[in-house]
Amino acid sequence: MHLITAETLPIALEFIAKHNQGLKCMLLDETPDGILADFKNFEIDPFTDMYHSNLLSFGGLMTDDPVTVIGPWAQDHATKVQMLKNLIEIAKRKCTLLQSAMLKESEVSVFEECGFQFHQFDLEMELRHQPHVLVNPEAKCFILDPTDTRHIRVQELHRSLFQSNDYCPENWQKIDNVDHWVAVCVLQDQIVSYAIVQRQDKNVYLANIGTDPSFQRQKLGATLLLFVREWYLTSGFKRLHLNVSLHKQHASKLYESVGFEITSKAWTGRLALSQ
């Protein structure tokens, strides 16, 4: 298992692009230790198995809270298990809790073999049908310009709703001007709802949507989702999808009313590590 270097990077990127479209959009900076993707509050340490310039497997750790395993991707089950065990040993130097990225059901066994526990799964939904929901006629929706100072309002709203500091549009723009969009819904001259949309190759992913609790039950979420739907349909992308926790039945019903359909289950597991 080796750290990716500048020489092996093109092979690794081709491999990543084939197996996970989202990862190839990361900004890559060369460091003394190899190639490190840097989102300021996210880092990924990519490791590979190389043989005669052919990438046999790939896996990595994305530093967040908790640290997330990216991959592993390999040709056979045993190699995936060994790669994951290697990543777990590396993670022990970084954290006490490790989680998997969202997995297909067929991928769960690799993580279970390494001690991960799976207590619930998310639903993956894709836009496929016509909407059947009412909107708020007084609300206005639009895509927020990257330089708009109202991003501060969205950042505050995101932090209060999700207890997270990962809303960083200034960092997104350094990666790619068109990888992220923020759609907002304005009522009474203030942003009351927002949605973060990310490009994944020819698809777009609805990463977050939130509404100010003081303005809930006014059809603002549905209004914003319909705006995102129309924006997506006219932007030339092939697929709009999202993930929602199984226990958030009210959210999944809202998505269904806008035209989303459940297409699969996405599992997320966790492993407690001893330092």
Side-chain angles (χ1 to χ4, degrees):
M1 190 168 74
H2 308 285
L3 191 67
I4 290 181
T5 66
E7 293 180 355
T8 60
L9 176 62
I11 305 169
L13 287 180
E14 182 180 352
F15 187 87
I16 297 168
K18 179 180 178 181
H19 290 80
N20 188 309
Q21 296 174 342
L23 279 183
K24 71 175 182 179
C25 298
M26 288 184 174
L27 175 68
L28 295 165
D29 292 323
E30 183 140 16
T31 70
D33 297 322
I35 301 297
L36 192 72
D38 187 0
F39 284 135
K40 294 246 169 128
N41 42 345
F42 292 105
E43 291 180 348
I44 181 170
D45 298 330
F47 285 83
T48 62
D49 278 333
M50 308 295 298
Y51 180 71
H52 293 313
S53 299
N54 291 318
L55 192 60
L56 302 180
S57 59
F58 179 90
L61 300 173
M62 187 157 61
T63 305
D64 194 6
D65 185 19
V67 168
T68 301
V69 176
I70 304 299
W73 298 293
Q75 296 296 322
D76 59 272
H77 180 88
T79 304
K80 291 179 182 178
V81 170
Q82 186 57 54
M83 173 66 75
L84 181 54
K85 288 180 178 179
N86 291 340
L87 291 171
I88 290 172
E89 290 302 313
I90 297 167
K92 287 180 179 178
R93 304 196 297 266
K94 298 175 176 285
C95 64
T96 57
L97 182 63
L98 190 62
Q99 75 175 12
S100 70
M102 293 184 188
L103 306 171
K104 297 178 180 178
E105 190 168 3
S106 59
E107 300 171 309
V108 169
S109 61
V110 172
F111 284 78
E112 286 183 328
E113 193 167 327
C114 294
F116 279 75
Q117 299 292 317
F118 292 83
H119 299 294
Q120 67 177 42
F121 56 83
D122 292 343
L123 300 174
E124 183 171 22
M125 306 184 74
E126 182 176 342
L127 188 63
R128 291 186 173 183
H129 304 296
Q130 292 297 317
H132 52 88
V133 64
L134 298 176
V135 300
N136 188 322
E138 299 179 2
K140 296 181 179 180
C141 299
F142 54 89
I143 299 295
L144 202 59
D145 186 270
T147 61
D148 197 312
T149 57
R150 286 175 290 186
H151 276 289
I152 297 175
R153 160 62 178 163
V154 181
Q155 188 175 41
E156 294 172 349
L157 189 56
H158 183 77
R159 186 184 298 116
S160 66
L161 291 173
F162 298 100
Q163 290 75 55
S164 173
N165 294 314
D166 63 355
Y167 184 88
C168 302
E170 65 276 10
N171 293 343
W172 300 340
Q173 297 309 311
K174 293 177 183 178
I175 298 167
D176 192 321
N177 288 332
V178 294
D179 272 348
H180 296 77
W181 297 268
V182 179
V184 295
C185 182
V186 174
L187 187 66
Q188 299 176 11
D189 295 324
Q190 64 175 313
I191 293 175
V192 294
S193 187
Y194 73 99
I196 303 173
V197 184
Q198 301 173 345
R199 184 185 68 182
Q200 296 179 344
D201 197 31
K202 296 180 181 180
N203 304 322
V204 281
Y205 176 70
L206 184 60
N208 286 100
I209 182 168
T211 300
D212 187 326
S214 302
F215 290 86
Q216 289 180 349
R217 300 187 182 280
Q218 297 187 45
K219 300 182 176 61
L220 298 172
T223 302
L224 183 58
L225 282 171
L226 283 175
F227 171 80
V228 171
R229 172 195 172 92
E230 293 305 312
W231 168 86
Y232 152 76
L233 291 173
T234 58
S235 297
F237 292 106
K238 292 186 175 181
R239 181 171 177 252
L240 174 61
H241 64 114
L242 58 86
N243 290 89
V244 59
S245 296
L246 179 66
H247 68 276
K248 294 184 177 179
Q249 295 184 0
H250 63 288
S252 59
K253 289 181 179 179
L254 171 61
Y255 296 136
E256 288 175 347
S257 71
V258 179
F260 284 90
E261 176 184 312
I262 297 172
T263 55
S264 64
K265 300 174 183 178
W267 298 78
T268 303
R270 292 196 168 193
L271 174 66
L273 303 175
S274 57
Q275 294 285 340

